[in-house]
Amino acid sequence: MFKPLTVADVRELTEDAVAVTFAVPAELRETFAFAPGQHLTVRMRAGDQEIRRSYSLCSTPDELAERGRLRIGVREIAGGAFSAYARRALRAGDAVEVLPPLGHFTTAFDADRARHYAAIAAGSGITPVLSLMATGLATEAGSRFTLLFGNRRASTVMFAEEVADLKDRYPDRLHVVHVLSREPQLSPLLSGRLDGDRLRATLDAGLIDASTVDEWFLCGPYGMVMDARGVLAERGVPDRVIHTELFHVEGEPAPVRTSEPAADASATTVTITLDGRESTFRMGGDERVLDAALRVRSELPYACRGGVCSTCRARLVEGEVSMVANYALEPDEIAAGYILTCQSRPLTPNLKVDYDA
Ligand code: FES
């Protein structure tokens, strides 16, 4: 359920990005407890429209437990409703409705582990990686991180100071390689887009020794993440040690279609469970489960509606669906019956969908 959180601070990171810090009261700290790498969903109204967006947390679980602070990184995108509001109008003292964090772009850091983690991030993709690096380096004294970080120019690097501070604190355990696409650097290898060819060259040059990396974190736009996945596969890196998080940057999600049922609105009978309560309704074969379900349960969780954030994840207990797109669920989650309801169309006359699973 959404909870109103008070904004403690809005800090400019670059000319188009801010870090927003929320104050979490003691009684909500357990509700908002999170793992590094996770994201949260914010909700606002713009005219008669409800806007939901998910943003990665850049702060650490310790900051929440000790000081009651949660921080997200927000880069303004063209036409972005919440990102423009956050950068231009949001102030300390304002209240924002926030859903507790979720997501699986994380790992179980453990003081007894000694690992080499590598992160490949582009642009605002650094946000969850910052939380992962800060938590991992503090928790695992024997572990190290290598960060390959792509941006346009030095002036557009989000969290440059925080990354530099971490580097100062852990000079022997954090290795940072900056790649800039629109600003020449001393090494031509580090000037240009962080695409598949550049990653191959970076690995060949030994800037990251892939043979020593235990876990990979890839975060950025779809093209970069897919390129990196492909190159790592070529190098024999198994899928199970690669974590990915996509940023949906191709514009705003489509509006929610909740008012008019489809013409064949009686094709499928659906029962959903949310917060222990069942609701049954009928929906058309061309509709998405989330759109139809919102007609009867407006409090259902969702954010991107593009198959990216996994906020709408639920377990399909009965029946079959086809998913139009899936950028969020891992193969083991699909095997366990999880679906993205914003992407699911019914294939059978009856569906049972459990949001509590
Ligand atoms: S709402 Fe984001 S994946 Fe469905």
Side-chain angles (χ1 to χ4, degrees):
M1 297 288 273
F2 281 94
K3 305 280 182 198
L5 292 182
T6 303
V7 174
D9 182 51
V10 181
R11 187 167 68 83
E12 187 172 282
L13 295 173
T14 66
E15 60 185 20
D16 62 352
V18 290
V20 179
T21 304
F22 296 107
V24 184
E27 67 273 17
L28 285 181
R29 286 186 197 166
E30 207 169 304
T31 305
F32 279 89
F34 69 101
Q38 288 192 310
H39 54 83
L40 52 70
T41 299
V42 296
R43 176 168 76 174
M44 66 178 275
R45 292 210 73 80
D48 59 355
Q49 266 208 327
E50 180 183 298
I51 308 283
R52 296 185 184 199
R53 296 290 183 269
S54 59
Y55 293 99
S56 290
L57 289 149
C58 56
S59 53
T60 62
D62 281 353
E63 284 177 73
L64 177 64
E66 290 161 15
R67 299 195 294 118
R69 291 292 185 264
L70 274 183
R71 196 161 56 255
I72 56 174
V74 181
R75 168 159 273 158
E76 184 172 356
I77 59 168
F82 185 83
S83 60
Y85 168 68
R87 199 175 78 75
R88 293 157 194 260
L90 196 63
R91 296 285 177 266
D94 291 348
V96 176
E97 287 194 278
V98 184
L99 265 187
L102 49 82
H104 51 240
F105 187 63
T106 189
T107 188
F109 290 117
D110 177 343
D112 293 334
R113 290 199 322 197
R115 296 196 161 187
H116 181 192
Y117 302 99
I120 304 175
S124 52
I126 188 63
T127 312
V129 170
L130 184 62
S131 179
L132 285 160
M133 292 194 306
T135 308
L137 290 166
T139 310
E140 299 182 357
S143 290
R144 61 198 175 102
F145 256 94
T146 302
L147 168 66
L148 185 61
F149 189 12
N151 283 281
R152 287 181 186 157
R153 301 183 182 83
S155 63
T156 66
V157 176
M158 280 174 74
F159 299 114
E161 240 175 71
E162 286 80 356
V163 171
D165 285 350
L166 273 183
K167 176 74 191 145
D168 286 347
R169 201 176 320 156
Y170 305 105
D172 302 328
R173 298 199 286 128
L174 175 59
H175 179 48
V176 181
V177 180
H178 285 282
V179 176
L180 298 176
S181 63
R182 297 198 190 158
E183 207 171 279
Q185 301 222 71
L186 277 180
S187 162
L189 180 60
L190 305 180
S191 309
R193 274 189 59 226
L194 188 47
D195 56 12
D197 285 343
R198 193 161 312 278
L199 180 56
R200 272 184 209 96
T202 307
L203 295 174
D204 290 342
L207 291 179
I208 306 179
D209 181 357
S211 69
T212 66
V213 175
D214 299 291
E215 284 182 67
W216 295 83
F217 294 93
L218 316 178
C219 188
Y222 181 77
M224 186 223 86
V225 169
M226 290 303 131
D227 276 2
R229 261 203 119 109
V231 172
L232 294 180
E234 283 166 23
R235 304 290 164 120
V237 176
D239 242 22
R240 66 185 153 74
V241 302
I242 303 174
H243 308 271
T244 61
E245 182 87 330
L246 293 178
F247 277 12
H248 189 68
V249 291
E250 292 89 26
E252 299 288 283
V256 184
R257 299 172 294 269
T258 54
S259 50
E260 289 298 320
D264 60 341
S266 60
T268 293
T269 302
V270 186
T271 300
I272 59 166
T273 307
L274 176 69
D275 296 332
R277 186 159 70 82
E278 283 194 353
S279 304
T280 299
F281 57 92
R282 297 176 80 80
M283 66 176 287
D286 281 345
E287 289 187 284
R288 313 278 173 99
V289 170
L290 174 71
D291 290 343
L294 282 168
R295 287 200 289 269
V296 294
R297 299 288 295 273
S298 59
E299 76 274 30
L300 284 170
Y302 72 89
C304 74
R305 300 187 64 253
V308 177
C309 72
S310 80
T311 309
C312 66
R313 187 184 95 142
R315 186 139 181 244
L316 185 62
V317 179
E318 185 184 318
E320 280 179 47
V321 299
S322 69
M323 277 199 281
V324 178
N326 168 33
Y327 305 112
L329 296 181
E330 301 289 342
D332 59 328
E333 293 176 283
I334 293 174
Y338 287 98
I339 60 171
L340 299 174
T341 55
C342 74
Q343 298 298 307
S344 294
R345 289 196 179 121
L347 292 177
T348 50
N350 290 293
L351 295 181
K352 273 196 177 166
V353 177
D354 187 353
Y355 281 89
D356 295 337

Coordinates of all heavy atoms in Angstrom, one line a residue, residues 54 290 301-313 328 340-343, ligand 1:
S54 N 8.7 4.3 -11.1 CA 9.6 3.6 -10.1 C 11.0 4.2 -10.3 O 11.4 4.5 -11.4 CB 9.6 2.1 -10.3 OG 9.9 1.8 -11.6
L290 N -3.9 -6.6 -15.8 CA -3.8 -5.5 -14.9 C -4.9 -4.5 -15.2 O -5.6 -4.0 -14.3 CB -2.5 -4.8 -14.9 CG -2.4 -3.5 -14.1 CD1 -2.4 -3.8 -12.6 CD2 -1.1 -2.8 -14.5
P301 N -0.9 -3.0 -7.3 CA 0.4 -2.3 -7.5 C 0.8 -2.4 -9.0 O 0.6 -3.4 -9.6 CB 1.3 -3.2 -6.7 CG 0.6 -4.6 -6.6 CD -0.9 -4.3 -6.7
Y302 N 1.3 -1.3 -9.4 CA 1.9 -1.2 -10.8 C 2.7 0.1 -10.9 O 2.5 1.0 -10.0 CB 0.8 -1.3 -11.9 CG 0.0 0.0 -12.0 CD1 0.4 1.0 -12.8 CD2 -1.2 0.1 -11.3 CE1 -0.4 2.2 -13.0 CE2 -2.0 1.3 -11.4 CZ -1.6 2.3 -12.2 OH -2.3 3.5 -12.3
A303 N 3.5 0.2 -11.8 CA 4.3 1.5 -12.1 C 4.5 1.7 -13.6 O 3.8 2.5 -14.2 CB 5.6 1.5 -11.3
C304 N 5.4 1.0 -14.2 CA 5.8 1.3 -15.5 C 4.8 0.9 -16.6 O 4.7 1.5 -17.6 CB 7.2 0.7 -15.9 SG 7.1 -1.1 -16.2
R305 N 4.1 -0.1 -16.4 CA 3.2 -0.7 -17.3 C 3.8 -1.1 -18.7 O 3.2 -1.2 -19.7 CB 2.0 0.2 -17.6 CG 1.2 0.5 -16.3 CD -0.1 1.2 -16.5 NE -1.0 0.4 -17.3 CZ -1.3 0.7 -18.5 NH1 -0.7 1.7 -19.1 NH2 -2.1 0.0 -19.2
G306 N 5.1 -1.3 -18.6 CA 5.9 -1.6 -19.8 C 6.7 -2.9 -19.7 O 7.5 -3.2 -20.5
G307 N 6.4 -3.7 -18.7 CA 7.1 -5.0 -18.5 C 8.5 -4.8 -18.0 O 9.3 -5.7 -18.1
V308 N 8.8 -3.7 -17.3 CA 10.2 -3.4 -16.9 C 10.4 -3.5 -15.4 O 11.4 -4.0 -14.9 CB 10.6 -2.0 -17.4 CG1 12.0 -1.6 -16.9 CG2 10.6 -1.9 -18.9
C309 N 9.5 -2.9 -14.6 CA 9.8 -2.7 -13.2 C 9.4 -3.9 -12.3 O 9.8 -3.9 -11.2 CB 9.1 -1.4 -12.7 SG 7.3 -1.6 -12.6
S310 N 8.5 -4.7 -12.7 CA 8.0 -5.9 -12.0 C 7.1 -5.5 -10.8 O 6.8 -6.4 -10.0 CB 9.1 -6.8 -11.5 OG 9.8 -6.3 -10.4
T311 N 6.7 -4.3 -10.7 CA 5.8 -3.9 -9.6 C 4.5 -4.6 -9.6 O 3.8 -4.9 -8.6 CB 5.5 -2.4 -9.6 OG1 6.8 -1.7 -9.7 CG2 4.8 -1.9 -8.4
C312 N 4.0 -5.0 -10.8 CA 2.7 -5.7 -11.0 C 2.8 -7.2 -10.9 O 1.8 -7.9 -11.3 CB 2.1 -5.3 -12.4 SG 3.1 -6.0 -13.7
R313 N 3.9 -7.7 -10.5 CA 4.2 -9.1 -10.5 C 3.1 -9.9 -9.6 O 2.8 -9.4 -8.5 CB 5.6 -9.4 -9.9 CG 6.0 -10.9 -10.0 CD 7.4 -11.0 -9.4 NE 7.2 -11.4 -8.0 CZ 8.0 -12.3 -7.4 NH1 9.0 -12.8 -8.0 NH2 7.8 -12.6 -6.1
A328 N 11.6 -8.1 -17.0 CA 11.8 -8.0 -15.5 C 11.9 -9.4 -14.9 O 12.7 -9.5 -13.9 CB 10.6 -7.2 -14.9
L340 N 3.9 -10.9 -15.2 CA 3.7 -9.5 -15.1 C 2.3 -9.2 -15.6 O 1.9 -9.4 -16.7 CB 4.7 -8.8 -16.0 CG 6.2 -9.0 -15.7 CD1 7.0 -8.3 -16.8 CD2 6.5 -8.5 -14.4
T341 N 1.4 -8.8 -14.6 CA 0.0 -8.7 -15.0 C -0.2 -7.5 -16.0 O -1.2 -7.6 -16.8 CB -0.8 -8.5 -13.7 OG1 -0.4 -7.3 -13.0 CG2 -0.8 -9.7 -12.8
C342 N 0.7 -6.6 -16.1 CA 0.5 -5.5 -17.0 C 0.7 -5.9 -18.5 O 0.4 -5.2 -19.4 CB 1.4 -4.3 -16.7 SG 3.2 -4.5 -17.1
Q343 N 1.4 -7.1 -18.6 CA 1.7 -7.6 -19.9 C 0.9 -8.9 -20.3 O 1.1 -9.4 -21.4 CB 3.2 -7.9 -20.0 CG 4.1 -6.7 -19.8 CD 3.9 -5.7 -20.9 OE1 3.9 -6.0 -22.1 NE2 3.6 -4.5 -20.5
Ligands
FES1 S1 3.9 -2.3 -14.0 FE1 6.1 -2.4 -14.4 S2 6.3 -4.5 -15.2 FE2 4.2 -4.3 -14.9

